[in-house]
Amino acid sequence: MGSTLAKQVHGRCTICTAFYNGRFGEIPTTTVANLYKRKIWLRQYPAGVPAEPVVPESTVLTLLEEAGKRHAHRPAVHFYGTALTYRRLRWEVERFASGLVALGVHKGDRVGLCLANTPQFVIAYLGALRAGAVAVALNPFQPRAQLAFQLEQSGAGCVVCQDLFYPALERSGANPGEVVWAPVREYLPLWRRWPVQRQPTPRRPAITTFGSLCRARTLGNLPEPGPQDPAVLAYTQGLDGPPQPVLLTHEHLMAAVARWRSFWPGLEEGREVIAALLPLYRVPVQSSTLLLSLSLKATLVLFTSPDLNDILPAARYQQVTVFPGEPATFIALGNHPRTRWVPWRRMKLILAEGEPLPEEVARRWEEHTGTLIHEAYGATEAAGLTHCTPLHRLRPGSFGVPLPGIEAQVVHPRTPHPLPPGQIGELWIGGQSLPTGNWGGNRSAAFVEREGRTWFRTGDLVRMDDAGYFYYYDRLGGLVLHGDEDIYLREIEEALGEHPGVKAAAVVPTLGDEGTLALQAFVVPRSGGTSLPSEEALRAYLRDKLPPSKVPHRLEFRTELPLSPAGRVLRSLVSKEGM
């Protein structure tokens, strides 16, 4: 077994290490299952964090209504110098909803949102819900065919589209009945408008401007959705297959907000300022920023791009207290000369989500700013975040413990049996107020029934230590089941990466000459070395570290490999490109 994997499996729990080595035999499945039922991670909760959140029997619209009444003059949204108070936001949401109804949108209809992090997203999102419709938040940067498929399958007869994204919508071939044209300049202050080019309004039969809807006459008989009514239809990759639609009700979203708020009791109503750097079309971001902001009656500072020259001054002058970002955000901030200009120590929560946070990035950030980055994990199928590192109780490499009300298990990839701490398996998530399947009556393999309960299979390989902290290892596609042997591709990649002449490596499964399993490695040599490693030298190196079945059959040298913004090799792209 590769050195890093061996450390991860054997490094924390003596009993589990003995179990893994076979000295104690097999631990009964019931014993392991009880370990998860007891929720051993509750010991890590700070004082004041409950085991179960209190989920109000209300809707997302209740959050806006309460904020509009109690904090009418507080800024709800800040956008590059423009501020919308809660009174104005509520006013525009009501009129936008009335405008949608006038366009023929009925309760239960789907309204597509092809928008950036602008006030139009907030208004259209809440306006669609106020009209009794279902918001379909779309990724405007996805392939055109995928965008057209999602619009067609969801049945979105109306699409609210940012002017900058309309060419992509048009090229996709999708033909929604109504398009609401939303110029990004509309909510910018005058002094910020001049660099933004005005886009001409498209000439198509059914097109309405966003501003005209917000000036629509308020209707007195708008639908009143309930907690069980659908609110958001989102598409998610699931178990590495085609995107699957997941329908989330108001109850699902309110539960996600309740879990997040209960885990951070130090966040105060009417006093917080939340930065919205991450794209709001992602469901976990919606619940942890937009809906959290409404729940806290906070100010949401919107950014349409990751330009640090805009983010850093806004974070300072708007006195941001909650700063979520991706690992790439913190890498860029660590290299920016004006990062120290921001009073990071005054913030209550600095959060990394979206992909695993490299330990080196977290260490350098602490040295640079004197603050800690908390890490969170979430999924669309769970309506939001499900794990987070507790306050002042971080563990290097861990994305934390399950949030209140969340149940989690590490399950054997071959069988539905839970695994003891220290072993790597697939993360399953369960709990009350979670979605139980995909939209349209079709349940994908991501949702399974066990012991009369629904569990969501995340498709992520993780491990849990003996204190209840979870650690990301790889996607399920990184595990090759070959006969009775489990082959972890990351284990081979890490073994290659330990060679002094190797900068990066990716291993993918392929078919051999006789149709049997073959492993192929793509290697980027380290520049500046005394000599480049040969294929045979690397094979000999791996034979000393790995069993014969894990030594790649073919090795190919490359000048580069596809990387994520955080610098992680994207094995899925390597496999798709057939490099």
Side-chain angles (χ1 to χ4, degrees):
M1 180 168 283
S3 58
T4 304
L5 177 62
K7 291 176 184 176
Q8 291 197 348
V9 172
H10 301 309
R12 299 210 55 84
C13 182
T14 305
I15 296 179
C16 297
T17 300
F19 158 69
Y20 191 89
N21 291 331
R23 295 203 300 269
F24 292 167
E26 184 175 352
I27 297 179
T29 303
T30 53
T31 303
V32 178
N34 289 333
L35 190 71
Y36 291 104
K37 289 180 180 179
R38 294 202 314 269
K39 297 185 176 181
I40 61 173
W41 50 81
L42 294 180
R43 296 174 297 176
Q44 309 304 326
Y45 281 11
V49 177
E52 295 288 336
V54 178
V55 181
E57 295 183 3
S58 56
T59 69
V60 171
L61 299 170
T62 306
L63 301 178
L64 177 62
E65 183 178 354
E66 291 177 353
K69 291 179 179 179
R70 297 166 55 184
H71 297 270
H73 301 290
R74 177 175 172 80
V77 172
H78 187 277
F79 184 62
Y80 296 104
T82 297
L84 274 68
T85 64
Y86 272 104
R87 172 181 287 179
R88 181 181 171 187
L89 176 61
R90 189 180 175 194
W91 184 86
E92 295 205 12
V93 166
E94 287 288 326
R95 279 153 181 76
F96 189 86
S98 299
L100 289 179
V101 172
L103 288 178
V105 174
H106 299 94
K107 185 175 182 179
D109 287 352
R110 272 75 63 197
V111 175
L113 307 181
C114 196
L115 299 165
N117 284 16
T118 58
Q120 287 123 324
F121 186 102
V122 179
I123 295 168
Y125 181 92
L126 296 172
L129 302 188
R130 184 67 185 93
V134 179
V136 186
L138 302 162
N139 177 1
F141 304 105
Q142 64 185 323
R144 295 194 296 267
Q146 199 163 293
L147 177 62
F149 170 78
Q150 293 176 10
L151 283 171
E152 180 180 357
Q153 188 193 54
S154 66
C158 177
V159 176
V160 187
C161 186
Q162 210 85 63
D163 55 352
L164 302 178
F165 300 146
Y166 184 78
L169 177 66
E170 193 173 38
R171 288 194 299 267
S172 72
N175 188 26
E178 295 282 346
V179 172
V180 179
W181 174 258
V184 71
R185 301 172 80 252
E186 193 167 7
Y187 283 86
L188 288 173
L190 292 176
W191 62 275
R192 292 296 298 257
R193 291 185 185 181
W194 68 266
V196 182
Q197 184 177 358
R198 184 188 298 272
Q199 303 294 324
T201 305
R203 295 181 178 179
R204 68 186 313 271
I207 190 163
T208 306
T209 62
F210 192 93
S212 65
L213 284 192
C214 289
R215 292 188 295 271
R217 181 180 178 182
T218 304
L219 301 177
N221 57 344
L222 290 174
E224 294 291 343
Q228 303 302 324
D229 285 330
V232 172
L233 181 64
Y235 282 82
T236 175
Q237 198 65 29
L239 295 175
D240 294 323
Q244 297 288 335
V246 178
L247 188 63
L248 306 174
T249 66
H250 284 267
E251 181 188 11
H252 295 149
L253 298 175
M254 292 296 286
V257 176
R259 289 193 295 267
W260 193 232
R261 280 203 61 177
S262 64
F263 196 71
W264 295 100
L267 300 180
E268 304 172 79
E269 287 193 7
R271 300 179 64 88
E272 308 302 339
V273 180
I274 302 175
L277 285 72
L278 302 178
L280 289 173
Y281 58 75
R282 300 180 189 169
V283 168
V285 179
Q286 292 169 24
S287 61
S288 64
T289 55
L290 172 56
L291 301 184
L292 175 68
S293 181
L294 290 174
S295 176
L296 290 170
K297 290 77 178 173
T299 299
L300 189 66
V301 184
L302 297 170
F303 299 96
T304 58
S305 73
D307 189 345
L308 298 184
N309 293 320
D310 289 322
I311 295 171
L312 290 172
R316 174 171 179 166
Y317 292 120
Q318 297 303 318
Q319 300 181 3
V320 168
T321 59
V322 179
F323 190 90
E326 291 178 318
T329 306
F330 297 103
I331 293 174
L333 285 170
N335 298 322
H336 199 281
R338 298 173 70 182
T339 296
R340 294 182 184 271
W341 192 49
V342 177
W344 301 102
R345 292 176 184 268
R346 296 182 184 177
M347 295 188 184
K348 295 182 179 180
L349 175 60
I350 301 173
L351 185 73
E353 56 179 294
E355 66 174 297
L357 178 69
E359 293 182 37
E360 178 63 19
V361 174
R363 184 189 64 78
R364 289 184 57 191
W365 176 266
E366 184 178 1
E367 294 176 353
H368 196 55
T369 67
T371 59
L372 300 174
I373 301 176
H374 287 77
E375 190 168 357
Y377 174 96
T380 298
E381 294 87 344
L385 300 178
T386 61
H387 294 66
C388 188
T389 47
L391 181 65
H392 303 315
R393 298 181 183 180
L394 282 65
R395 292 201 175 188
S398 171
F399 58 81
V401 299
L403 299 180
I406 290 292
E407 298 182 33
Q409 293 187 355
V410 181
V411 178
H412 196 288
R414 294 177 182 265
T415 67
H417 300 309
L419 294 172
Q423 291 202 37
I424 295 174
E426 185 183 7
L427 175 61
W428 286 21
I429 294 173
Q432 294 183 352
S433 300
L434 289 180
T436 57
N438 296 103
W439 178 64
N442 298 320
R443 173 173 289 185
S444 70
F447 292 94
V448 295
E449 291 285 341
R450 193 175 70 183
E451 298 178 355
R453 302 168 58 191
T454 301
W455 291 83
F456 163 58
R457 296 179 55 195
T458 64
D460 287 327
L461 293 174
V462 304
R463 68 177 177 90
M464 183 186 73
D465 66 17
D466 49 1
Y469 283 77
F470 286 73
Y471 301 76
Y472 179 84
Y473 186 72
D474 205 345
R475 286 293 291 169
L476 190 60
L479 171 62
V480 178
L481 304 178
H482 182 52
D484 294 332
E485 186 177 18
D486 298 340
I487 299 177
Y488 292 93
L489 300 181
R490 177 176 163 180
E491 178 188 357
I492 306 171
E493 293 166 350
E494 290 178 342
L496 281 167
E498 292 173 0
H499 189 283
V502 173
K503 179 181 179 181
V507 179
V508 298
T510 60
L511 292 178
D513 297 334
E514 300 179 359
T516 57
L517 173 68
L519 299 176
Q520 182 169 359
F522 300 96
V523 177
V524 178
R526 187 178 300 277
S527 59
T530 55
S531 61
L532 296 179
S534 65
E535 181 175 341
E536 186 52 41
L538 284 179
R539 287 182 185 278
Y541 178 81
L542 291 177
R543 290 191 195 103
D544 291 338
K545 289 179 166 290
L546 302 171
S549 59
K550 297 183 180 181
V551 177
H553 300 72
R554 294 189 291 269
L555 284 91
E556 185 174 335
F557 291 99
R558 292 280 172 172
T559 57
E560 61 180 12
L561 291 172
L563 302 175
S564 73
R568 187 165 51 93
V569 175
L570 298 175
R571 189 191 305 119
S572 59
L573 294 184
V574 175
S575 179
K576 289 178 181 179
E577 292 173 2
M579 296 180 62

